[in-house]
Amino acid sequence: MNINTKASYYNFITDTPDGNQVIYNTKTGAIDMIDPEHRTNVQAILASPFSIPDIDEELFVHMLNQGYIVESNRNELQDIITWNREANRETNIAYLTILPTETCNFTCPYCFIYTFREKHMTPEIYDSIYKYIENFFENNKNEEYCTFTLSWFGGEPLLVSDQILTFMKRINHLKGRYPNAILNSEITTNGYCLTSELFFKLLNAGIKRYQVTLDGDAESHDQLRTLPHKQPTFKKIYHNILEIKQQVSPNDVFQFVIRSNFLRSTVKNSEHLLQMYKKDFFDDPRFRIYFRPVYNFETDRDSIHEVESDLCENIEGVSIQNRLSLETLENTENVLESIANPLPTPTKSWCVSVKENSNIVGYDGSVFSCDTMIVEKEQSIGYLNRDGKIIFNKNADIWKKSIFEANDEQSQKCLKCKLLPICMGGCNRARHVTGKNPCFWTEDLIYKAMLDYCKMI
């Protein structure tokens, strides 16, 4: 071997109960089992490949390809900085979230929308958004391709579904003028208004990805996600989703994601929902389910305090999330396709909020970066003018700055952390607004997830 190598800084290695070892690298997402027969060679290659008289060349090459070892002069941190910077500054990829209405028909106590403005988007703002998208396609017409992801959010967007359908028709017509343009569209909705009839209208209009929230079974969901006078909603939402599933054709292309939020006291309800999902949806891979703990996002309503004592601590919440995620993978043909459950994969940024071409537009043209701070005018990063250009304000310098451009104490800690490639500094809101720890993963959680992974193979 003529390659001088060193162990990657981002390796994690732990023993398994059956006498093997497992190695995982946060920078590449690679993971491997190490049986006792190869343990000595693996450790020697990590330490110095040339200390082995008869080196296992195949093993050496595998470890190099997996990223467990790297060339001695390689600066792994600079690699991470480079692909973060390139991802954040991509000019031919854009994300735009539209709030067609900032009112909602639900009264969820943990809703992270900072404040509600009981307003619907005006035709003038739709025209500005149209011009913004047209400008993007025009500026990239000579590129091999350009991708625009259009997300509908709220409030509850389906309260103004006619406006959404009208605008999607306009945008699809616009896209037809640019052969290299790719338009992706998705919607996040509480599902109450999502009848099968409306679903097919939205699908035919080009909206291919749907997210609906069911917080466990009817018992827990109807305590949390109710109409203004506490009327239950689970039965209607579940019926809507089930009817959609029964009426879709095998040729219909879409993704339908069910998100289930849980409290410490509702984990059993989430497990019950999972069993319902397996019975009714497991045979159609277009329908997926995932679980998340309720997060403590304060708003001007302070309604989170209704459930604050029932919130999971970070490690507790992630552990439950991972356990439920593993159960969603039972009986799948290839669990390795879902390596993010339970182990995280490398990411170029924690969320798209830091990307230069990722923005959220409110009903009045105000522009935001973080979806947990939308409609709080003091946190806007600018506004969209009539020409379809975003006029940024001083807040943009804060929200669009990655940890690699910051110079604070927390950012310096992140640069030294072995978890950096899977979180890229964590939550911007925590970093810039609340002052709370932005970290989601811990090393202890990684080791636990590695052992959970071993149970899958």
Side-chain angles (χ1 to χ4, degrees), residues 1 6 12 15 57 69 71 80 144 157 160 162 164 173 182 184 193 234 250 266 279 317 324 338 360 372 406 418:
M1 289 296 161
K6 61 183 178 182
F12 285 81
D15 295 324
E57 184 171 339
I69 54 175
E71 295 182 21
I80 297 168
E144 181 181 354
V160 290
D162 287 346
I164 293 174
H173 186 266
I182 300 169
N184 300 318
C193 301
F234 181 89
T266 65
K279 173 179 173 292
L324 292 170
S338 300
I360 303 168
T372 70
K418 292 173 65 174

Side-chain angles (χ1 to χ4, degrees), residues 131-149:
K131 186 64 178 176
Y132 177 84
I133 299 174
E134 183 180 40
N135 291 341
F136 173 78
F137 286 156
E138 185 66 23
N139 291 338
N140 287 282
K141 64 182 179 182
N142 295 323
E143 298 290 333
E144 181 181 354
Y145 72 93
C146 63
T147 301
F148 196 98
T149 298

Side-chain angles (χ1 to χ4, degrees), residues 353-383:
S353 66
V354 297
K355 292 178 177 289
E356 291 185 8
N357 275 350
S358 176
N359 298 288
I360 303 168
V361 180
Y363 90 94
D364 60 356
S366 298
V367 176
F368 305 90
S369 180
C370 174
D371 63 7
T372 70
M373 295 303 297
I374 52 180
V375 302
E376 171 53 37
K377 290 297 289 286
E378 292 182 358
Q379 295 296 335
S380 70
I381 61 171
Y383 67 93

Side-chain angles (χ1 to χ4, degrees), residues 292-293 295 314-315 317-318 321 350 423 426 437-442 445:
R292 291 292 183 268
Y295 299 115
N314 183 50
I315 293 179
V318 176
Q321 168 187 311
W350 178 253
C423 82
N437 186 345
C439 305
F440 183 77
W441 287 93
T442 66
L445 284 171

Side-chain angles (χ1 to χ4, degrees), residues 96-102 117 119-122 124-126 128-129 151-155 359-369 373-377 380-384 390:
L96 188 70
T97 298
I98 300 177
L99 312 182
T101 179
E102 296 181 14
R117 299 186 291 183
K119 301 287 186 178
H120 299 332
M121 185 167 282
T122 63
E124 292 76 17
I125 302 304
Y126 278 112
S128 295
I129 295 172
S151 302
W152 297 95
F153 199 58
N359 298 288
I360 303 168
V361 180
Y363 90 94
D364 60 356
S366 298
V367 176
F368 305 90
S369 180
M373 295 303 297
I374 52 180
V375 302
E376 171 53 37
K377 290 297 289 286
S380 70
I381 61 171
Y383 67 93
L384 185 65
I390 297 177

Side-chain angles (χ1 to χ4, degrees), residues 394-449:
K394 62 182 180 181
N395 286 337
D397 294 334
I398 299 172
W399 284 101
K400 295 298 183 181
K401 182 181 292 184
S402 77
I403 61 164
F404 305 112
E405 300 166 306
N407 192 29
D408 54 67
E409 183 178 352
Q410 179 60 49
S411 298
Q412 294 306 307
K413 289 181 181 178
C414 291
L415 299 186
K416 299 175 183 177
C417 180
K418 292 173 65 174
L419 305 181
L420 178 64
I422 59 173
C423 82
M424 303 303 281
C427 175
N428 254 3
R429 184 183 196 266
R431 187 182 301 278
H432 299 314
V433 179
T434 66
K436 295 179 180 178
N437 186 345
C439 305
F440 183 77
W441 287 93
T442 66
E443 291 196 8
D444 286 345
L445 284 171
I446 291 295
Y447 284 121
K448 183 180 185 305

